[in-house]
Amino acid sequence: MEIINSNLDGIPHGHGGSFKKGISDGLLKVEDNTTIPNGHEESYRRGRVLGESLKSQVAAAVRQ
């Protein structure tokens, strides 16, 4: 079963940490995002969307 199917193009150099933080916050439903560096909001948001999507996909697969 393939769970991750995402296009990661367009994440600027140096924004990987913010993107990964967004993924983990999306998976864990963390609401405090005060540690995102200024200017990295879009990378964080993209990671958050992916994390929330992964959480839904995993939950759907487990319920089957």
Side-chain angles (χ1 to χ4, degrees):
M1 164 187 12
E2 181 179 325
I3 293 177
I4 299 175
N5 184 11
S6 178
N7 184 354
L8 301 180
D9 293 338
I11 304 223
H13 179 73
H15 286 228
S18 298
F19 181 71
K20 291 183 284 185
K21 171 103 172 99
I23 292 171
S24 66
D25 286 356
L27 282 168
L28 301 174
K29 202 173 180 180
V30 173
E31 298 300 329
D32 178 22
N33 60 5
T34 57
T35 59
I36 297 138
N38 190 26
H40 290 214
E41 293 84 4
E42 179 62 19
S43 298
Y44 173 82
R45 186 198 63 75
R46 286 182 62 193
R48 176 121 193 170
V49 167
L50 178 57
E52 290 170 354
S53 175
L54 286 170
K55 182 178 180 177
S56 295
Q57 291 177 52
V58 169
V62 169
R63 282 187 223 124
Q64 290 181 353

